[in-house]
Amino acid sequence: MISGSKGQKAVRACKIRLLNLGPAKHEESADSECFRIAGAVLQRSNSRISNEGQNTFCPSYHITDYAGVKMQSNDAQNTAINHMDGPMLVLAGPGSGKTTVITRRVKHLIEQGVNPMNILVITFTKAAAQEMQERFYALMENGMGRNVTFGTFHAVFFTILKHAYNLSASNIIKEEERYSIVKAAVSRHELDIEDEREFVGNVLGEIGRVKSDRIAIENYYSTNCPTDVFRSIYDEYMTKLKNSRKIDFEDMLCYTYELLTARKDILAAWQGKFKYILIDEFQDINKIQYDTVRLLAAPENNLFIVGDDDQSIYGFRGSKPDIMLNFEKDYRNAVRVLLDINYRSEPEIVKAAADVIRFNNKRYKKVIKTNKNGGGAVVVKQTKDFIDEYAGVCEQIKELVHNEKKSYSDIAVLYRTSAGIGSLVRRLMENGIPFQIRDKLPDMFEHWIAKDIFAYIRLAVGTANRADFISVCNKPKRYIGRDYLTDEEIDLDKLCTYYEDKQWMVERIRKLKDDLAMVAKLNPYAAVNYIRRGIGYDEYISEYAINHHIQADELFDVLNDIHESAREYNTFAEWDAAVSEYRQRVHEVPDKSVPRVILTTMHSSKGLEFDIVFIIDANEGVCPHKKAILDEDIEEERRMFYVAMTRAKSRLYIYSACEKYNKMLDVSRFLIESGLYMPAKSKYNAKAPVSGGLTSERSGYRWNRSGTNYSG
């Protein structure tokens, strides 16, 4: 216990205190509370059953596979389930029954005499924690084990803060409050930004990274705005939180670590409560979470971690496979076990996925098997362009449903990012295929570029609305000042009179008038093309990207998608009606009773499984993403592709296109290096490294460009 002046100094050093989140109670009462908790939870039954230490018998549990069929647990699962004390690393391959192993191990601990109050199970999402808890309760009889703690990192850590500092849910700042604070701070700086919501979201993301990575603000350099501006916004944000006695989700992690390092008495109390800690999806952990868990697990270090380094895909949140790869260095006495049987996927899919992931260097070498007998298929197709690609996906889905009697709910379409996925959504709508978008799909028609395009069109075919005119009058630059734009409707002839002493301005305004007249005569697709090339909107986008230090390709992707959405319509009214329908379908709450194809990103697909999976846009620049430059970035992209592949049970379709928006595309290196696609010559055809008993021979998948199905 820390007492006297030393304890007081430690507490004062804690950032929570500095941020005005210090205990509402006096320190003495805080200590009393800690020991009250400790007294209640340290009644752990240290005596197991009488023959503890001589328990050599490992009961054979029955594991339930994904089809709900009872099967005998394998040796690796039994080893993990029956593990008692000390650290253990469970490498759980895709579909290996890790949730069942975790819940069975908790049951085993209780049967061996461990007090349920001393067991903590941590997951990364509330839904996962609830599912884990429900599956555990189903194993137990007579309500036993109800005192086991299941929760997310944030929930567990907030509980610790709540007890120490008398916090409640009201102290957690809401997302809309965070947004409002940063939005207000941004408004006090004269920044040239087009999409305020996107910019504020990016700044909030940076604030989160600074706090979770514990970076001193004076050492951080912003990627979204001038660094001095970001630091000013950060300081204002933190001051607002301090003054309102609020914390955000990053604070829950940081302040818990700081509290436990500053107050050894509080740390001891929680160490006494959580004698056994189990962590699911450990590969997703970040440094602050890991450091805090290590504090809680000491000194007995009964830390049971379950995960798969090959599925570490949340680098943007601070998770690194290195944490899991170095676990055995941190805990020299750790026992490692590999759950190497995939109960989910057919062998064709397991092999194809293994052929992809073996090219990663930073990983545990492993061989994953399956209990399936074969009969699945991996189908790789390349189309002329992305239009044919999405049309081919729709045709294949209809064939599966109508000819093979599959349900729409058996099918998922996975993609690297939501950007540009609107074209697929429109194609599904045209084909009458019901779908559900699992992630929040960015509404491209809400993007500032879309608003500019529609402003030009409304000016061309309707009234010269002041707001529309102001939004585009200097895109491209025409040097039209707002001082003369006082009327609600803008008269271009009248505007010329204001600039009559500047002939060059008059000429620009007259050209704009002629351009708008031309737009009015064209169909939607041609009109957008004229706005881009004839008026010069493409040049404006290029200049905007340079001035704002962002990738022009990202903006042109949005512009191209908007342009493509107009292709099939003859009038602006038809296009507008289609846009309205699209936006309604995207934002509607789906009827859960109707089977639907699931659309989701590769990130969000983790933890899910489907009978049939489509992976689309398997091209360089998408998979791997164009922002992936460093080797570690490429490895994470490869892990993401591996995750997407292993969502499939019986059939996997992988699509790529040769061209998009008149730009030639390369097939993803992941398909080439693994042998799933074999061009005549490629820089990615290097011999594969041998890893985990897998040979470097090709997977045996044949290929042709017509898109004919071949399986190994």
Side-chain angles (χ1 to χ4, degrees), residues 118 120 122 153 156-157 160 256-257 260 266-277 279 289-303 331:
N118 296 147
L120 170 64
I122 303 178
F153 280 100
V156 173
F157 290 1
I160 294 174
T256 301
Y257 176 79
L260 296 180
I266 294 177
L267 173 61
W270 288 102
Q271 287 173 333
K273 175 166 176 59
F274 298 132
K275 289 290 187 179
Y276 291 85
I277 301 176
I279 303 176
Q289 292 166 337
Y290 182 51
D291 289 346
T292 306
V293 164
R294 291 196 69 189
L295 288 173
L296 290 172
E300 296 183 21
N301 295 326
N302 294 325
L303 187 56
Y331 297 95

Side-chain angles (χ1 to χ4, degrees), residues 495-649:
L495 188 61
C496 284
T497 64
Y498 289 123
Y499 290 99
E500 58 186 359
D501 59 334
K502 298 178 181 178
Q503 186 58 35
W504 61 276
M505 283 292 298
V506 173
E507 291 176 0
R508 292 186 180 208
I509 295 169
R510 285 176 176 170
K511 182 180 185 305
L512 174 59
K513 184 177 180 181
D514 293 341
D515 286 337
L516 292 175
M518 177 60 74
V519 169
K521 297 176 183 178
L522 303 172
N523 64 45
Y525 188 83
V528 178
N529 191 64
Y530 188 85
I531 292 169
R532 297 181 64 176
R533 277 92 185 183
I535 292 179
Y537 193 77
D538 276 14
E539 294 178 15
Y540 165 75
I541 291 295
S542 297
E543 292 175 2
Y544 181 90
I546 293 172
N547 294 334
H548 289 78
H549 308 288
I550 59 178
Q551 292 289 330
D553 286 351
E554 296 179 10
L555 299 179
F556 279 113
D557 285 345
V558 176
L559 182 53
N560 287 329
D561 285 339
I562 294 165
H563 194 176
E564 182 60 34
S565 72
R567 181 184 291 276
E568 299 177 10
Y569 304 101
N570 296 317
T571 68
F572 294 118
E574 291 176 357
W575 186 30
D576 183 65
V579 169
S580 297
E581 183 185 3
Y582 168 86
R583 299 185 69 184
Q584 181 181 350
R585 292 286 300 276
V586 166
H587 296 293
E588 71 180 2
V589 178
D591 183 354
K592 294 183 179 181
S593 65
V594 178
R596 299 172 185 270
V597 174
I598 298 297
L599 308 183
T600 187
T601 63
M602 293 180 180
H603 275 113
S604 295
S605 73
K606 192 163 158 298
L608 305 178
E609 59 185 31
F610 306 91
D611 189 44
I612 301 165
V613 168
F614 288 80
I615 297 176
I616 61 173
D617 301 332
N619 292 99
E620 287 290 301
V622 181
C623 298
H625 196 273
K626 58 190 173 186
K627 292 183 179 180
I629 305 297
L630 303 176
D631 288 345
E632 63 183 38
D633 300 328
I634 296 296
E635 292 214 350
E636 176 155 325
E637 291 288 313
R638 190 177 286 108
R639 292 194 295 269
M640 199 175 321
F641 201 79
Y642 174 80
V643 167
M645 295 177 73
T646 55
R647 300 310 93 193
K649 294 181 182 179

